[in-house]
Amino acid sequence: MAFVSDESSHSQAEGQPHPHPTGRIINASGLPPPTDDTTTAAANTVDPPTTAAIPSPTFRILSTIPSASSAGVPPLPSIPIRGHEGGFVQPSSYLRSRRPSYPMPPSQPERAIDREERQGLRAIRNFLKVRTSYDVLPLSFRLIVFDTALSVKESLNILIQNGIVSAPLWDSKSSTFAGLLTTSDYINVIQYYFQNPAALDQIDQFRLDSLREVEKALGVAPPETISIDPERPLYEACRRMLESRARRIPLVTNDSQTDRHLVLSVITQYRILKFVAVNVSDTQKLRKPLGEIRLGSYDNVATASMDTPVIDVIHILVERSISSVPIVNSEGVVYNVFESVDVITLIKGGVYDDLSLTVGEALKKRSQDFPGIYTCSLNDGLDTIFDTIRKSRVHRLVVVDEAFRLKGVLTLSDILQYILLEGEGDETL
């Protein structure tokens, strides 16, 4: 059974393109762009007000009850106060209203940029809740499904021949959906045989139904076998992807005649976000800068250099469960990005000798039509980023400063999580 998703999409009306889309492209050779290249102008950032220091409150005990001696009543014997015990507080002091001992800071009015951000996020969520996963599919597409009895080498050749990087798995013995084959599975196999070099000669006989054994041997968490019915809301598909950390989700329905599973297609984070960018004009309200909302990863970002061996980068991909590593020089200037899909090119034909190459040598093996990498700055908002997603096939953006030095990485998972969860609890249902 064979179908591969193509790039055709629904013919919804698109809005006018943003005059300055986010991102810069580095060519496939790995050379940095000219120094006079600039990123997109960012939305204005309003610094939050500074909270004044609050003085320590002063407490006093008040009483207006007449003393016993003035009322003609014999006084009670005095009780000495010992240790940490305080004096007796008359009940009237609890009944009298008191003013606060320090002024309350006035509530700050909501900024227009905050209000528009909230409105934009609500519009996107409402759209995802009324559209189904089936709506995301292009008008025509193909889908390739792998039987779990296939060998790793056979499946790899089919992926390369058809220009795809993933495929649903099917267990023909039980006639059930068996998960999704991705580049991470091939990287796990490489890591496994690197740790067990004596078994390298048997890699061609390794079958897809043994992938879970490899994950157990490496100690990595196996991907969840998630799927969703194509008629379910798109919002639900997005939530399942976030919960399982999956970058794509198969659409699986039930055949009413045979009462068996039927794999219809696979939708990715990119296709979902592009579907939103094309059909929801309120994405242009998401103007808060990335630096303000702190969207993306900025601490302890894994990097490599042009001289780093490819096998070392593969170790990083497995250990951190990530799909890419920025390539920088000694000053932190971004040259390129090594992606997990680059590994597929290196092991084409079942040859694993190229894994000893350096990153710089490996990147030269990329296809000439490689689109390059996309960048943005901390001053960019999601409005310009959605503009870029609408017009280009983007899987991640590298966050850089004015000198093109690495600041962080923004993935499609980060964007999907933000539009689904940011401020969701504050919305009235």
Side-chain angles (χ1 to χ4, degrees):
M1 34 195 319
F3 304 84
V4 180
S5 180
D6 61 15
E7 295 304 315
S8 61
S9 59
H10 290 291
S11 58
Q12 289 91 345
E14 299 184 3
Q16 294 297 323
H18 194 281
H20 302 290
T22 298
R24 277 182 263 205
I25 302 180
I26 300 180
N27 57 37
S29 64
L31 296 178
T35 55
D36 59 347
D37 187 22
T38 56
T39 51
T40 310
N44 295 329
T45 304
V46 180
D47 295 328
T50 304
T51 305
I54 299 176
S56 301
T58 302
F59 297 96
R60 292 183 298 171
I61 300 175
L62 305 176
S63 175
T64 57
I65 297 181
S67 64
S69 58
S70 62
V73 180
L76 295 173
S78 61
I79 302 176
I81 301 174
R82 298 182 179 87
H84 62 274
E85 296 177 359
F88 178 72
V89 181
Q90 299 290 356
S92 62
S93 64
Y94 289 113
L95 303 178
R96 185 178 298 108
S97 62
R98 302 182 185 179
R99 294 182 178 180
S101 56
Y102 56 87
M104 296 295 292
S107 59
Q108 298 296 327
E110 184 181 36
R111 300 180 302 170
I113 193 172
D114 294 329
R115 181 171 57 255
E116 290 185 357
E117 188 90 2
R118 190 180 67 253
Q119 293 171 350
L121 292 174
R122 183 184 298 116
I124 293 174
R125 290 168 190 154
N126 291 340
F127 174 78
L128 294 174
K129 291 175 181 178
V130 298
R131 304 306 292 265
T132 68
S133 300
Y134 185 83
D135 295 334
V136 183
L137 297 180
L139 297 177
S140 63
F141 61 90
R142 294 177 298 157
L143 178 69
I144 290 182
V145 179
F146 286 163
D147 193 297
T148 54
L150 278 175
S151 68
V152 170
K153 183 177 180 179
E154 290 172 328
S155 64
L156 178 62
N157 291 336
I158 296 174
L159 288 181
I160 295 175
Q161 291 171 6
N162 290 275
I164 57 176
V165 296
S166 67
L169 295 176
W170 184 262
D171 188 340
S172 57
K173 296 179 180 178
S174 59
S175 297
T176 56
F177 169 67
L180 196 65
L181 179 70
T182 68
T183 54
S184 297
D185 294 306
Y186 294 100
I187 291 176
N188 287 339
V189 171
I190 294 172
Q191 182 84 337
Y192 173 76
Y193 282 102
F194 180 83
Q195 296 178 2
N196 303 274
L200 184 59
D201 294 338
Q202 305 172 6
I203 192 170
D204 289 343
Q205 288 76 40
F206 195 82
R207 307 225 170 252
L208 298 180
D209 54 10
S210 302
L211 290 175
R212 303 293 85 92
E213 297 176 10
V214 170
E215 292 158 354
K216 292 179 181 179
L218 294 176
V220 298
E224 295 187 25
T225 310
I226 64 168
S227 63
I228 192 168
D229 189 281
E231 296 298 333
R232 297 299 303 165
L234 188 54
Y235 180 86
E236 184 178 329
C238 294
R239 292 300 294 256
R240 290 194 186 182
M241 295 172 71
L242 288 181
E243 293 167 359
S244 62
R245 299 185 61 189
R247 300 180 182 94
R248 49 183 59 82
I249 184 170
L251 304 184
V252 179
T253 187
N254 196 64
D255 191 331
S256 58
Q257 295 181 350
T258 62
D259 195 28
R260 291 181 177 179
H261 290 163
L262 177 64
V263 182
L264 179 63
S265 186
V266 177
I267 56 175
T268 63
Q269 291 178 340
Y270 164 74
R271 188 164 291 281
I272 292 174
L273 292 176
K274 182 175 181 178
F275 187 61
V276 170
V278 169
N279 294 284
V280 183
S281 60
D282 284 317
T283 55
Q284 295 304 306
K285 293 183 178 181
L286 307 180
R287 297 184 296 107
K288 295 179 71 172
L290 297 180
E292 180 177 342
I293 61 180
R294 298 303 293 176
L295 184 60
S297 300
Y298 301 94
D299 300 324
N300 195 25
V301 177
T303 62
S305 70
M306 285 291 192
D307 298 325
T308 303
V310 169
I311 191 65
D312 291 350
V313 179
I314 290 177
H315 295 337
I316 296 174
L317 295 175
V318 174
E319 292 169 0
R320 298 210 179 190
S321 297
I322 55 179
S323 60
S324 66
V325 175
I327 309 303
V328 300
N329 68 2
S330 58
E331 298 178 353
V333 176
V334 177
Y335 276 5
N336 217 307
V337 173
F338 188 89
E339 304 174 355
S340 58
V341 294
D342 291 318
V343 178
I344 302 298
T345 304
L346 297 179
I347 60 176
K348 179 171 56 176
V351 179
Y352 296 84
D353 296 338
D354 285 348
L355 297 179
S356 60
L357 297 176
T358 65
V359 167
E361 294 170 331
L363 293 180
K364 293 178 182 178
K365 294 180 176 292
R366 277 177 171 169
S367 173
Q368 292 298 322
D369 58 357
F370 177 73
I373 67 172
Y374 291 85
T375 67
C376 62
S377 75
L378 289 171
N379 294 325
D380 287 313
L382 284 180
D383 56 342
T384 54
I385 292 175
F386 267 109
D387 239 4
T388 303
I389 292 175
R390 182 172 59 85
K391 294 181 290 187
S392 307
R393 194 174 186 86
V394 181
H395 295 289
R396 68 191 56 80
L397 294 100
V398 181
V399 186
V400 297
D401 62 11
E402 297 81 0
F404 219 67
R405 290 187 295 263
L406 177 68
K407 303 299 291 184
V409 176
L410 177 66
T411 66
L412 299 188
S413 297
D414 297 326
I415 299 175
L416 191 63
Q417 180 172 347
Y418 181 78
I419 64 174
L420 256 68
L421 304 182
E422 178 64 24
E424 184 184 34
D426 300 333
E427 296 181 4
T428 57
L429 301 179

